Amino acid sequence: MHEHPVRLVIGGDLRRYRPTVFFRLLLAIPHFIWISLWSIGMVFVVVVNWFVTLLSGTPSKTMHGWTSAYVRYTLHLNAYVYLVGNPYPGFMGEEGEYPIDLRLPERASQSRSKTFFRIFLAVPALMLASALGGGFAAGYTSRNGRSKFAGLSGRGALATTCAFFGWFACMAKGEMPKGLRDASAYSIGYGAQTLAYLLLVTDRYPDSDPTAMLDGVDRPPEHPVRVVGDADDLRLSRVTVFFRLPLAIPHIVWLVLWSVATLVAVVVNWFVMLFRGTPAESLHRFVSRYVRYQLHVSAFLYLVANPFPGFDGAPGRYPLDLELPQPMRQNRWKTFFRFFLAIPALVVGSALSYGLIVTAFLTWFVGLARGEAPWGFRNFAAYALRYAAQTNAYLYLLTEVYPHASPLEGAPTPQHEFVEAAAA
Amino acid sequence: MTRRLPLVALAAAAWAVAALYLWNTSVVPSSLRLPHVDSHRFFTAAQLHAASSYSSVGVWLWVGGTIVQLVVLAVYARRGERFTRDSAAGPMGTGMLLGMIGFALVWLAQVPFTVLELWWERRQHLTHDGYAATVFGGWFGLGGAFVFLCVALAVVMGFARLVGERWWLPAAPIFVGLALLFAFIDPWLVGGHALHDARLRSAATRFERLEGVSRTPIVVESVHQTTTLPNAEAAGMGPSRRVILWDTLVDGRFTERELDVVVAHELGHLARHHIWKDVGWYALFAFPGAWAIARATRTRGGMARPRAVPLGLLVLVVLNLLALPLQNAISGTWRQRPTGWRFARRTIRAARSRSSAVSCRRRSTSRTRRRSTTSCSRTIPRSSSGSGWRRRGAPPSDVRVILEAWKLRQARTADLAPASGGASPPP
């Protein structure tokens, strides 16, 4: 697959200056005012540019430059607000002035048909971008029949959630957690690609593949809970896609029944671990199967994988499978407070689930039409499922390693480095 | 085979005796004489013609839907095996998948008939349901059906793997047990609220005493948002037994006596143990049916193998179709004669003196009396729950014509004066 012409460049480090973090939203107010004015101007520019592109097949050079600067500026601002970047951004959206930057394509000819229908074609990408975040909307709302200025509003569950928890982490440690930074960067990167597509900077559709988006970013340490499978298997059976939700209902019923037993097992295991420091092996196995089964059912339901899963959560049977750690000694304090410690991960997971639902909804149509899942959507959904599985494994005491929010796969590292990284 | 012959003969004899018993215990006592109903005395020829044509469209839709269903299942029985490659669920899970896909394809093929039927009913103002809601509701509703199907296939395939071809011997009693269970819990699934009409409640208490089914709750189910048709049903067994009245029946359109008849009719079902007998009939069909499926799927390696499931579905549907005349005969018998015997004697006697409300068998010229015609003929028992053998069949022919005519007229006049009870003066 060709590289996307709109490329996210992530520079800088994870250190954050606490005073600017604390006042981040207030400090961004001038930018909010500026972007709202710029957005109003851009409406006219884009409409004119749309006609120009339709007539000549190529956007106007001047207007392409303005639009590119606008798209880049929104990325800089989003990076600042969502704590992806540390320095205060400039107001002109110039290339290379901010560590979190965007490489945009030169003016090039574009398909007239794609240009004509651009606003409709962009709808699926806008849906996902809204779920992920990284966009700002300026506009009016109508209340009691009167139009009223609503101001700027940040959108997107994932970026907002990561920024929220990142803010506390930055205040505490002076450093943005890598997982949250990567997730936010991915979100705003996808938002920038969508904006570039919508505003005629490129006619290449946004790519939601996290690996492609964060190309060049360091991979996180390998997590003991890993999703494994054939990455190239995108095939979907049209019949089972059409009936996917009803077909999943028996699994959902079974999952609910199983979760009751799992809840009991986890509580018992919690006591066992508090006393012994290690989980009961049989309970660990039982819960492992449950977590793996959850992944299988979710992969089937959300169209990440094609086959109908088994009901037993057995390893090695499903194309998208879960590797789980063997029972091992865990820190008693972490065990004791496990539920409370898991809350941020659960919130991030629920934010990711919005995107997951959107991609599943869109994949349903694509799957029916083409008989295969779109690469980008599938990979995003796999990321969301991986995070959910890591969160479940953490919550259900299968591991004490915290879920890693980075969309990137963990890189194998020597055990001592891994432990250090996890502890960090 | 020769050694098995006495056993088979014994089983057949037991089946016949049980069937005879069930049939005979549903027959009306000879002392009860039902008056003849001449629909022409109640409705104009045009109304009856309209009713007949309304009914005939329904019949054609049913025929078309059934043919399509059989064709789809036949094709699926032949080619459905290919879906095994879309499963990673092992033999039993794959069998469940194949069963669900078969059901889903049948549903898909019948969508045009469903839409046509809905169009036809909407044209007659018999339902408020929208097309999208019906189609999407059906799509979502498949999920519930799939759960039951998976349980059924788990039982069948589980036993087939355990005991081979004779899976039907242990499986059939389990299905009968499940049928009993659903018949038992059905009223609780329906829900509804208690009957507020104090007069009807006290009348019901009187009928309950008469029929020996004291303390039977009378509940009202809210259906007015989807239909204007009145109906009532007897459901449950033992502690769950109750009479369920649709709220369209107690919305003021019917006279007290008409409602009395309906309630007594439903209590008659309970007093005659029709729900138990319905399960009994089901049991009688379950054993030979399961055996026939086991025999038919031998060519595919038996029901232990997923590839036999599509063929099993086809056989099941064909068997159901073959059993339909008998099922209709049974339900027709019950529907015709469920009203509590003691109460029935009274009401029929009263009908003869033109003072009571067995209005489907009665001459009448008053508005309310004519409306109640349907209330009686529509009181079709729903003797069990959604396990696939819920029956809301058509009334016997003469009553059916009256019903259809009433439905048409009621629907046409409901828009004019729905609150005041709507029906126009009789011709």
Side-chain angles (χ1 to χ4, degrees):
Chain A
M1 182 176 269
H2 296 296
E3 198 174 67
H4 199 282
V6 179
R7 288 201 59 209
L8 184 69
V9 179
I10 298 180
D13 53 24
L14 298 173
R15 276 178 299 175
R16 300 288 179 266
Y17 187 49
R18 285 187 178 89
T20 65
V21 169
F22 189 78
F23 294 110
R24 185 66 51 123
L25 279 176
L26 295 175
L27 291 171
I29 286 176
H31 281 288
F32 293 152
I33 294 169
W34 173 233
I35 199 173
S36 64
L37 295 173
W38 197 346
S39 298
I40 292 166
M42 280 310 296
V43 172
F44 299 102
V45 170
V46 169
V47 170
V48 173
N49 204 16
W50 184 72
F51 280 109
V52 170
T53 311
L54 271 182
L55 291 173
S56 69
T58 311
S60 149
K61 187 176 181 185
T62 312
M63 285 185 272
H64 179 79
W66 289 345
T67 317
S68 297
Y70 176 77
V71 171
R72 195 177 291 112
Y73 174 65
T74 58
L75 179 93
H76 294 171
L77 178 56
N78 283 327
Y80 183 68
V81 171
Y82 290 120
L83 301 168
V84 181
N86 191 44
Y88 198 69
F91 285 79
M92 299 311 295
E94 287 174 13
E95 188 172 358
E97 74 168 13
Y98 202 70
I100 312 300
D101 205 8
L102 210 54
R103 280 197 197 133
L104 292 163
E106 293 296 316
R107 186 174 69 112
S109 62
Q110 295 189 21
S111 154
R112 282 188 174 86
S113 57
K114 281 185 187 174
T115 305
F116 187 77
F117 293 110
R118 186 63 55 96
I119 196 160
F120 301 106
L121 293 171
V123 168
L126 285 168
M127 286 168 66
L128 182 58
S130 296
L132 294 177
F136 281 96
Y140 292 82
T141 55
S142 178
R143 189 177 290 173
N144 300 328
R146 285 183 182 176
S147 289
K148 188 177 171 182
F149 183 64
L152 290 161
S153 59
R155 300 183 308 236
L158 183 60
T160 309
T161 309
C162 291
F164 176 77
F165 290 115
W167 188 86
F168 288 101
C170 290
M171 292 308 296
K173 294 167 60 181
E175 190 175 296
M176 181 74 170
K178 179 174 163 51
L180 297 179
R181 197 282 305 262
D182 287 357
S184 286
Y186 166 71
S187 302
I188 64 171
Y190 188 77
Q193 284 190 355
T194 306
L195 199 61
Y197 180 72
L198 186 68
L199 303 187
L200 308 168
V201 175
T202 176
D203 64 353
R204 178 80 178 274
Y205 209 75
D207 180 9
S208 59
D209 178 16
T211 314
M213 182 72 73
L214 299 178
D215 188 29
V217 176
D218 290 341
R219 288 165 65 183
E222 192 171 57
H223 197 279
V225 178
R226 287 185 296 274
V227 171
V228 291
D230 180 4
D232 295 320
D233 183 13
L234 298 173
R235 192 184 73 84
L236 290 174
S237 152
R238 286 185 175 87
V239 172
T240 64
V241 166
F242 187 75
F243 293 107
R244 190 59 60 112
L245 185 58
L247 286 172
I249 298 279
H251 276 295
I252 291 168
V253 171
W254 180 235
L255 195 61
V256 169
L257 295 174
W258 196 344
S259 59
V260 174
T262 302
L263 186 67
V264 176
V266 168
V267 171
V268 173
N269 211 14
W270 185 72
F271 281 109
V272 171
M273 285 173 67
L274 283 179
F275 282 108
R276 282 175 27 184
T278 52
E281 205 163 313
S282 55
L283 293 175
H284 184 91
R285 270 202 311 274
F286 179 76
V287 178
S288 294
R289 281 209 164 208
Y290 171 78
V291 172
R292 191 178 295 109
Y293 177 63
Q294 258 188 330
L295 179 91
H296 293 171
V297 173
S298 301
F300 179 70
L301 179 63
Y302 293 114
L303 301 159
V304 184
N306 183 50
F308 188 73
F311 286 78
D312 53 1
R317 289 240 190 105
Y318 203 65
L320 199 75
D321 210 3
L322 195 62
E323 280 183 7
L324 288 159
Q326 293 298 314
M328 57 176 68
R329 178 164 290 279
Q330 295 186 26
N331 183 307
R332 283 187 172 87
W333 285 111
K334 284 184 183 174
T335 304
F336 187 76
F337 291 110
R338 184 62 56 94
F339 176 75
F340 299 102
L341 291 171
I343 288 175
L346 288 169
V347 176
V348 172
S350 71
L352 262 173
S353 68
Y354 287 113
L356 185 60
I357 291 167
V358 171
T359 52
F361 176 74
L362 298 172
T363 303
W364 190 81
F365 292 100
V366 179
L368 277 181
R370 289 169 43 187
E372 65 174 34
W375 173 265
F377 285 173
R378 198 283 308 267
N379 285 357
F380 168 77
Y383 153 53
L385 292 183
R386 184 181 71 222
Y387 188 77
Q390 289 179 355
T391 306
N392 289 334
Y394 180 74
L395 183 64
Y396 301 145
L397 308 167
L398 299 180
T399 176
E400 65 175 358
V401 181
Y402 208 75
H404 207 287
S406 174
L408 296 169
E409 289 266 8
T413 51
Q415 189 60 31
H416 66 278
E417 286 180 28
F418 169 70
V419 172
E420 281 170 16
Chain B
M1 186 64 200
T2 321
R3 279 187 303 170
R4 285 192 202 157
L5 206 56
L7 201 63
V8 173
L10 192 66
W15 195 96
V17 168
L20 203 64
Y21 169 77
L22 285 174
W23 184 269
N24 283 338
T25 53
S26 301
V27 170
V28 180
S30 55
S31 58
L32 183 69
R33 291 186 181 281
L34 298 171
H36 172 68
V37 180
D38 181 7
S39 49
H40 289 89
R41 301 178 77 169
F42 299 92
F43 300 98
T44 64
Q47 285 173 330
L48 291 173
H49 176 72
S52 178
S53 81
Y54 167 78
S55 188
S56 65
V57 170
V59 170
W60 281 114
L61 285 175
W62 180 84
V63 170
T66 306
I67 291 171
V68 166
Q69 182 185 31
L70 288 174
V71 169
V72 168
L73 281 175
V75 172
Y76 186 63
R78 200 171 166 79
R79 301 190 175 174
E81 198 181 336
R82 67 175 61 177
F83 287 102
T84 51
R85 69 182 178 192
D86 291 320
S87 173
M92 282 181 60
T94 304
M96 290 175 192
L97 175 70
L98 291 182
M100 289 191 285
I101 289 177
F103 259 51
L105 291 176
V106 166
W107 172 83
L108 194 63
Q110 290 199 319
V111 164
F113 294 95
T114 309
V115 170
L116 275 177
E117 193 179 352
L118 184 63
W119 167 78
W120 185 238
E121 290 194 350
R122 282 168 63 100
R123 198 162 173 265
Q124 313 294 341
H125 306 284
L126 295 177
T127 180
H128 311 312
D129 288 346
Y131 293 104
T134 301
V135 173
F136 286 110
W139 186 80
F140 279 112
L142 278 174
F146 285 174
V147 173
F148 290 107
L149 183 67
C150 283
V151 172
L153 281 169
V155 170
V156 169
M157 297 183 77
F159 280 118
R161 290 164 73 83
L162 276 176
V163 298
E165 256 183 48
R166 293 196 176 130
W167 59 265
W168 59 277
L169 277 171
I174 288 179
F175 288 132
V176 175
L178 285 174
L180 262 177
L181 176 71
F182 290 126
F184 182 74
I185 63 171
D186 179 37
W188 291 316
L189 299 178
V190 170
H193 60 82
L195 177 66
H196 298 312
D197 184 342
R199 194 214 60 81
L200 187 57
R201 265 207 323 263
S202 91
T205 310
R206 201 169 69 249
F207 302 145
E208 287 165 17
R209 263 203 316 276
L210 271 169
E211 296 298 331
V213 285
S214 296
R215 289 202 289 271
T216 301
I218 313 286
V219 297
V220 178
E221 183 185 356
S222 178
V223 298
H224 67 274
Q225 285 179 332
T226 54
T227 182
T228 57
L229 291 176
N231 201 357
E233 51 203 86
M237 39 182 54
S240 75
R241 75 178 177 191
R242 64 198 56 199
V243 169
I244 299 166
L245 307 177
W246 287 10
D247 61 349
T248 45
L249 188 71
V250 289
D251 58 4
R253 286 184 290 163
F254 298 95
T255 65
E256 293 173 355
R257 291 191 171 193
E258 287 164 347
L259 294 175
D260 286 354
V261 172
V262 173
V263 171
H265 175 102
E266 300 307 331
L267 289 170
H269 282 304
L270 295 175
R272 302 290 294 172
H273 307 296
H274 281 170
I275 292 163
W276 284 99
K277 286 170 186 171
D278 208 348
V279 177
W281 278 113
Y282 174 75
L284 284 184
F285 283 104
F287 280 91
W291 173 82
I293 291 171
R295 292 288 292 187
T297 53
R298 276 165 75 179
T299 51
R300 298 270 177 104
M303 285 301 290
R305 296 185 173 216
R307 58 195 292 266
V309 171
L311 181 61
L313 278 185
L314 175 65
V315 175
L316 178 69
V317 170
V318 169
L319 288 176
N320 264 330
L321 211 56
L322 292 176
L324 208 56
L326 187 54
Q327 285 179 354
N328 281 344
I330 295 163
S331 67
T333 308
W334 290 0
R335 206 178 306 116
Q336 206 171 15
R337 302 153 181 164
T339 305
W341 308 133
R342 295 177 192 83
F343 181 78
R345 282 201 188 91
R346 259 193 222 173
T347 49
I348 290 167
R349 208 180 301 131
R352 283 176 184 146
S353 64
R354 300 187 184 186
S355 61
S356 182
V358 187
S359 44
C360 56
R361 297 179 172 84
R362 177 188 66 174
R363 290 175 62 185
S364 169
T365 53
S366 81
R367 286 167 53 175
T368 49
R369 283 175 187 173
R370 281 188 57 213
R371 280 199 305 277
S372 71
T373 296
T374 301
S375 87
C376 180
S377 57
R378 284 294 294 179
T379 50
I380 297 159
R382 187 177 72 173
S383 46
S384 72
S385 72
S387 56
W389 43 285
R390 171 180 295 190
R391 282 207 299 266
R392 277 183 181 154
S397 57
D398 200 26
V399 179
R400 185 211 299 260
V401 174
I402 297 172
L403 162 66
E404 305 300 356
W406 183 89
K407 274 159 69 175
L408 281 174
R409 197 187 51 195
Q410 185 72 3
R412 284 170 187 164
T413 54
D415 294 336
L416 301 175
S420 59
S424 56

